[in-house]
Amino acid sequence: MIFKVYFQESIRQVPVRENTKSVFVEGESERDVRKKLANYDYNVEFVQAVKGAFLEYEQQNEDFKVLEI
């Protein structure tokens, strides 16, 4: 399953909507995705499963890529 992860680039950074970035990660569950990102210095705000029409919409974006961890 593919998950969309919203995060700040630094664990020390306070979440601000304008600075929030996102990345797509493949994993078994939200917990699995958070484990995979534990080695990164990300302040993870939200992890959302992406499937169906939502996934198709995201795949149309030219910047769509799934992070290989």
Side-chain angles (χ1 to χ4, degrees), residues 3 27-36 46-48:
F3 291 86
E28 304 270 327
S29 64
E30 179 180 339
R31 178 182 231 160
D32 182 42
V33 170
R34 287 182 180 272
K35 275 177 133 176
K36 288 180 177 184
F46 186 65
V47 179
Q48 178 180 20

Side-chain angles (χ1 to χ4, degrees), residues 9-52:
E9 287 188 320
S10 172
I11 196 81
R12 293 170 186 83
Q13 198 171 9
V14 176
V16 177
R17 183 181 317 150
E18 290 78 16
N19 297 334
T20 299
K21 302 199 185 226
S22 64
V23 66
F24 294 92
V25 179
E26 190 169 349
E28 304 270 327
S29 64
E30 179 180 339
R31 178 182 231 160
D32 182 42
V33 170
R34 287 182 180 272
K35 275 177 133 176
K36 288 180 177 184
L37 294 174
N39 293 334
Y40 291 79
D41 191 33
Y42 291 164
N43 183 3
V44 176
E45 293 179 43
F46 186 65
V47 179
Q48 178 180 20
V50 180
K51 57 187 171 186

